[in-house]
Amino acid sequence: MVAGLDESVTKELSAGLDTVENTKASVVRILQQIRRFQERIHKHIEDNYVDFMPNHTTSDMYIEEGEHLLRDTEHLLSNVSSDTRLDLNEANAELTQCIEELREISLGLKVSHRILKIDDLFQCVEEANATKDYLVVLDLLGKLKCLICREATCEVDRIFQKCACYDTIKIKYHIQANILQQNLQQKFERLLQLSEKNFATTKHVTIQVSKDVGQLQDIVMALFQARYNPLKICDFLFENCLMPMVVKPVSVELLNDNEEYSQLNISYSLKQLTKGLKPSYKEVFANINLLLDCLTNINVNVFGEQHVFTIIGSQIKDRLLKLIIDECLMDSVPATMDEYHESTLVQDVLRFEQTLVDNFFIHPEIDCTLTNFTKKFEQLFRNRFNKKVLETAREIMHKDLQDMTVVGENNTAEDVAKNPFLFPQCMISKSTLDLIKLMERILKQLDNSGEEEEEPELLAVIPVILNTYINEVPKTHEKLLESIPQQSVLFFNNCMFLAHWIAKNADACIPTHPALVKTLQATGTNIFKAQIVYQQKILARILREFDISDPHSIGSRPFKLTRQCLRQLDVLKNVWLNVLPDSTYSQTFCDLLNDFCLDIMKRVLLLEDISTTVANELSDLIEVILNVSPALFKEKHEVICIPCWMKLQQLKMILNASLQEITEQWCDGAGILTAHYKADEIRHLIRALFQNTDRRASALAKIS
């Protein structure tokens, strides 16, 4: 029947459609045959996809007939050109109507043909499922998806999707796709077995991979091409294998003695471990490599550049790489120069990264986390080196300042004056020596490294240490520096010794060393001066009750207060004498005693009337000061360095002298009194000590 149609159509078309009647007859004949064909197809579709009646007819017998009809229809339509159809229109409107009807019927024929193809593919799927040929099923389902689920881009697609059978066909496709994935997943889970078991304090993880590589890889490829979601496997590998391998010691054992499976056993403690028990990065890399080796047979190419490890990696690689950096590699950055020069960390990391690339777990141009780490290795080392040094330095800074030792032994003030590289003998905190030893180790390590490029940045830690010392020690020991005099002078000495060390090592090119010297000296001096001011306030507070205004007798109170001040200074002597450098100690006590003596003299010089009794008592009081003060110095003769010392001695003399002796000591402005007293002061004392007589008037006249 179909063959006859081909012959007749061919003859009529070859004749060139000479007459309207011939063209009309051809169209009518094809329309009749298409209608009869569609009636049979409609019945077949209804039986299969609408009524679901038992039907033993296959679609093969219809497909060939439908394809012939499609060819003949297209041939007829293509040979009726637009110009010919225009002529035919004018000649016979009925023929035009037939051709348009043929065009519409042709669309229906194409839809019927598509449904027949789909039905045939479904039958093939059932046959492949029966033989468990899953790759064939996967291919057939791909073809079905193209026919069923594509977007409606042409008239045939739109008509097909409006058919009553479309929803049934689509549901049947999804059912078959789900059946395939379930079958593949069940088979896959038999070929790759993941298990975990928790005990009281430990966890045991087992991974078994089938040695039937051909079957395993076929199933894996089919499963992943069927858009399998590997989230469960990804979570298992990350949570139970990879994360423990990075953060805690694990026991990993790869066994191949079983005929059917390769087996990887992983065991580790469930207890929270201390940081010091973390595995080395080399152990971490080795264990991860063992895991990848165990799973290597499932790492088939799925499509394009996508491998199974690529798909798994897309789920966990970012978390894993971050975990490796934060919990493993950062702790492996060397902290000393010796460790730095012995380290192979950069090479090992790049080798491990290449292993991940070779296994398609990461993409070399996109996943650059490990490469970036190696690029920052130098800076990370410097940061770790500096951090370690600063941690050690801070521990030293928190030590007790009072634990002290002698430095500059046998270096006299004269020696120091001649040689600026000498430091005067004094006491400093032992912690300061520890700090200097730390900085000297840094210099020595840099000298031994022989890498001059590293020196400027690594040397920069020394200014950081010293600036930290300047800022932290006064805060850490604040209360002791205020309340214990010896603490403040020790800190002063410490700062001066550190400044001296910096200056002595100027050739080492320590950054900002001139500024460091000044800052250290200024910081130590400020703390020391604050202590001196505090001691001056103590003396001033004692002298607040010093009262010599009684014209008859000053009483015992001024003597008591004077001795109290001298005892306070004696306490300072006991804690400062062998601690401060001699010159600093001498200068400090000269300043304190000078202020004290000036305060006493000021009160005496303010008196308007001094009786003989009061004068004698004041002379005795000054005698106490003159007798006790020399003992406050290391060498008694140093007392003469007190600026007002001679003036105090002369005041004692004036209190006991006659008018004649005073005028002789003044000697018309050329006597010894003129070195320390002004004329007004001498005249005031004369008026206070002597009654208003002609002799006093004469003496006053000589004082000018």
Side-chain angles (χ1 to χ4, degrees):
M1 179 187 197
V2 174
L5 176 66
D6 286 340
E7 262 181 0
S8 62
V9 170
T10 302
K11 288 178 181 179
E12 291 171 356
L13 291 177
S14 63
L17 300 174
D18 293 328
T19 65
V20 170
E21 289 300 324
N22 288 338
T23 302
K24 180 179 177 182
S26 297
V27 171
V28 169
R29 189 179 302 112
I30 290 176
L31 285 174
Q32 290 173 347
Q33 292 187 16
I34 290 174
R35 287 192 180 99
R36 288 196 297 271
F37 176 75
Q38 283 190 312
E39 286 173 1
R40 300 202 311 278
I41 296 305
H42 184 72
K43 179 67 168 60
H44 178 78
I45 292 170
E46 282 188 342
D47 289 345
N48 281 279
Y49 298 103
V50 179
D51 298 331
F52 301 103
M53 297 292 291
N55 189 350
H56 302 292
T57 306
T58 64
S59 55
D60 292 346
M61 61 182 292
Y62 298 114
I63 290 175
E64 185 178 355
E65 182 180 352
E67 287 175 348
H68 280 294
L69 285 171
L70 279 171
R71 284 197 299 271
D72 292 342
T73 304
E74 293 296 331
H75 195 153
L76 179 60
L77 287 171
S78 64
N79 281 280
V80 181
S81 66
S82 57
D83 293 337
T84 305
R85 286 199 302 274
L86 182 61
D87 293 339
L88 292 174
N89 264 342
E90 294 173 355
N92 194 328
E94 184 180 352
L95 177 59
T96 303
Q97 184 179 353
C98 287
I99 291 173
E100 292 304 321
E101 186 178 355
L102 175 62
R103 189 178 303 281
E104 291 178 8
I105 291 295
S106 173
L107 288 174
L109 178 62
K110 290 177 181 178
V111 172
S112 300
H113 183 261
R114 179 181 293 187
I115 295 172
L116 287 174
K117 288 291 293 179
I118 290 171
D119 185 58
D120 183 57
L121 288 171
F122 274 133
Q123 291 182 29
C124 292
V125 166
E126 290 175 2
E127 292 170 3
N129 274 330
T131 59
K132 298 184 178 180
D133 196 345
Y134 298 124
L135 285 176
V136 172
V137 174
L138 183 67
D139 181 61
L140 292 170
L141 287 175
K143 293 177 180 178
L144 281 167
K145 184 177 181 181
C146 291
L147 292 171
I148 299 169
C149 301
R150 67 186 183 187
E151 292 184 10
T153 56
C154 63
E155 190 67 25
V156 174
D157 293 334
R158 288 189 285 273
I159 294 171
F160 170 57
Q161 291 178 9
K162 290 179 181 178
C163 291
C165 64
Y166 176 73
D167 289 337
T168 304
I169 291 173
K170 193 172 182 180
I171 290 170
K172 185 173 182 179
Y173 162 75
H174 286 298
I175 290 172
Q176 289 297 330
N178 288 334
I179 289 171
L180 172 65
Q181 192 166 82
Q182 288 174 10
N183 289 336
L184 289 172
Q185 190 163 334
Q186 288 173 3
K187 188 70 175 176
F188 177 65
E189 288 174 356
R190 287 195 295 271
L191 296 170
L192 175 65
Q193 298 178 19
L194 308 175
S195 62
E196 57 173 307
K197 189 171 183 180
N198 289 342
F199 298 94
T201 58
T202 59
K203 187 169 193 172
H204 185 72
V205 178
T206 302
I207 298 175
Q208 289 187 315
V209 183
S210 173
K211 290 184 176 180
D212 187 348
V213 178
Q215 181 183 197
L216 175 65
Q217 293 187 343
D218 284 348
I219 293 297
V220 169
M221 181 177 291
L223 181 64
F224 278 83
Q225 286 182 352
R227 303 300 180 185
Y228 166 68
N229 185 354
L231 185 59
K232 184 178 178 182
I233 292 179
C234 294
D235 287 344
F236 181 92
L237 292 175
F238 184 78
E239 299 293 338
N240 297 301
C241 304
L242 292 168
M243 185 167 67
M245 286 178 177
V246 175
V247 302
K248 59 177 61 180
V250 298
S251 171
V252 183
E253 185 181 23
L254 182 59
L255 303 175
N256 282 302
D257 50 359
N258 188 296
E259 293 182 1
E260 295 184 14
Y261 292 93
S262 293
Q263 181 169 312
L264 187 72
N265 295 325
I266 305 172
S267 300
Y268 49 87
S269 173
L270 293 173
K271 293 181 179 178
Q272 187 71 29
L273 299 177
T274 59
K275 187 174 182 180
L277 292 177
K278 282 187 177 182
S280 70
Y281 76 89
K282 291 185 178 181
E283 292 175 298
V284 171
F285 290 172
N287 290 335
I288 293 176
N289 286 338
L290 271 178
L291 177 63
L292 295 178
D293 288 344
C294 177
L295 296 172
T296 188
N297 286 335
I298 73 166
N299 192 25
V300 297
N301 180 261
V302 180
F303 40 81
E305 296 182 357
Q306 290 270 307
H307 287 67
V308 170
F309 281 2
T310 312
I311 298 169
I312 293 175
S314 67
Q315 298 285 337
I316 63 176
K317 63 184 178 183
D318 292 336
R319 287 182 291 164
L320 176 61
L321 294 177
K322 185 177 186 305
L323 191 70
I324 290 173
I325 296 290
D326 294 345
E327 298 295 331
C328 176
L329 296 183
M330 290 302 292
D331 292 334
S332 302
V333 174
T336 68
M337 289 298 299
D338 291 340
E339 291 176 359
Y340 170 74
H341 290 296
E342 294 172 2
S343 174
T344 59
L345 181 61
V346 170
Q347 299 91 318
D348 294 339
V349 168
L350 291 176
R351 194 179 301 115
F352 176 70
E353 182 183 50
Q354 189 58 47
T355 299
L356 296 181
V357 171
D358 292 343
N359 281 278
F360 306 99
F361 191 86
I362 62 174
H363 193 286
E365 296 176 4
I366 299 172
D367 306 308
C368 303
T369 303
L370 294 176
T371 296
N372 291 339
F373 171 82
T374 62
K375 290 179 180 178
K376 295 187 293 184
F377 175 73
E378 303 293 337
Q379 186 60 50
L380 291 170
F381 160 65
R382 286 190 285 270
N383 293 345
R384 181 86 184 276
F385 177 83
N386 292 350
K387 182 182 178 182
K388 182 71 174 177
V389 168
L390 286 174
E391 286 174 355
T392 305
R394 282 194 171 92
E395 290 174 4
I396 293 171
M397 293 173 198
H398 284 80
K399 290 182 179 180
D400 186 4
L401 294 177
Q402 201 71 23
D403 187 9
M404 52 190 173
T405 187
V406 178
V407 292
E409 198 165 3
N410 301 323
N411 291 341
T412 65
E414 292 77 13
D415 295 333
V416 173
K418 294 176 184 177
N419 187 349
F421 291 102
L422 294 179
F423 193 75
Q425 179 175 322
C426 65
M427 305 285 283
I428 67 169
S429 303
K430 288 182 179 178
S431 59
T432 303
L433 288 181
D434 293 338
L435 201 62
I436 286 175
K437 288 176 183 176
L438 175 65
M439 293 187 290
E440 286 178 342
R441 281 203 304 273
I442 296 170
L443 295 180
K444 184 177 179 181
Q445 287 180 348
L446 291 173
D447 288 341
N448 293 337
S449 72
E451 298 183 26
E452 295 181 1
E453 294 180 2
E454 297 172 357
E455 289 191 13
E457 293 193 41
L458 293 175
L459 274 175
V461 74
I462 292 179
V464 174
I465 290 171
L466 294 172
N467 282 313
T468 303
Y469 184 89
I470 290 166
N471 292 320
E472 283 205 9
V473 174
K475 293 178 182 176
T476 303
H477 303 280
E478 182 179 7
K479 292 182 179 179
L480 296 177
L481 289 173
E482 290 176 357
S483 59
I484 301 178
Q486 195 174 75
Q487 294 269 333
S488 57
V489 298
L490 278 170
F491 179 73
F492 168 76
N493 290 347
N494 293 343
C495 289
M496 295 301 165
F497 194 69
L498 290 169
H500 174 77
W501 183 85
I502 289 288
K504 192 171 66 173
N505 287 279
D507 292 343
C509 299
I510 298 170
T512 69
H513 72 271
L516 276 174
V517 170
K518 292 180 181 178
T519 306
L520 282 163
Q521 290 173 339
T523 303
T525 300
N526 290 339
I527 294 293
F528 186 30
K529 282 183 177 179
Q531 183 60 231
I532 292 173
V533 169
Y534 178 68
Q535 294 300 326
Q536 288 171 332
K537 288 179 179 179
I538 292 175
L539 297 176
R541 190 163 57 248
I542 294 171
L543 291 177
R544 195 179 298 161
E545 299 179 13
F546 189 90
D547 184 7
I548 54 174
S549 61
D550 190 331
H552 303 293
S553 173
I554 65 173
S556 61
R557 184 66 175 165
F559 286 88
K560 182 178 179 181
L561 296 174
T562 299
R563 290 190 180 94
Q564 187 177 345
C565 287
L566 293 171
R567 280 196 300 273
Q568 178 65 26
L569 291 170
D570 189 58
V571 170
L572 285 181
K573 170 194 171 183
N574 292 332
V575 296
W576 283 1
L577 180 60
N578 295 315
V579 176
L580 283 167
D582 290 347
S583 59
T584 305
Y585 173 86
S586 180
Q587 183 60 53
T588 302
F589 265 77
C590 283
D591 293 341
L592 288 170
L593 279 166
N594 191 62
D595 291 343
F596 169 65
C597 294
L598 286 175
D599 196 334
I600 298 293
M601 286 190 290
K602 178 182 177 182
R603 294 170 187 271
V604 173
L605 291 172
L606 287 174
L607 293 175
E608 297 292 337
D609 184 15
I610 303 174
S611 65
T612 302
T613 302
V614 170
N616 291 332
E617 290 173 341
L618 289 174
S619 175
D620 292 341
L621 187 143
I622 292 172
E623 182 68 23
V624 171
I625 297 172
L626 294 174
N627 290 336
V628 174
S629 294
L632 296 174
F633 292 88
K634 192 169 187 179
E635 301 293 338
K636 291 185 178 182
H637 67 270
E638 292 180 277
V639 75
I640 64 173
C641 295
I642 300 173
C644 71
W645 187 250
M646 290 301 297
K647 186 173 184 177
L648 182 65
Q649 288 180 320
Q650 288 173 349
L651 179 59
K652 180 179 182 301
M653 181 274 296
I654 293 170
L655 290 171
N656 293 321
S658 63
L659 274 172
Q660 183 178 353
E661 289 172 333
I662 295 172
T663 54
E664 286 176 355
Q665 293 286 332
W666 183 258
C667 192
D668 295 328
I672 61 172
L673 287 179
T674 58
H676 301 287
Y677 283 91
K678 296 177 182 178
D680 289 342
E681 290 176 324
I682 297 298
R683 282 199 298 269
H684 177 79
L685 284 171
I686 290 173
R687 290 191 185 98
L689 288 166
F690 301 99
Q691 292 182 348
N692 188 9
T693 62
D694 292 339
R695 288 179 62 204
R696 189 181 82 171
S698 174
L700 289 172
K702 294 177 182 179
I703 308 298
S704 61

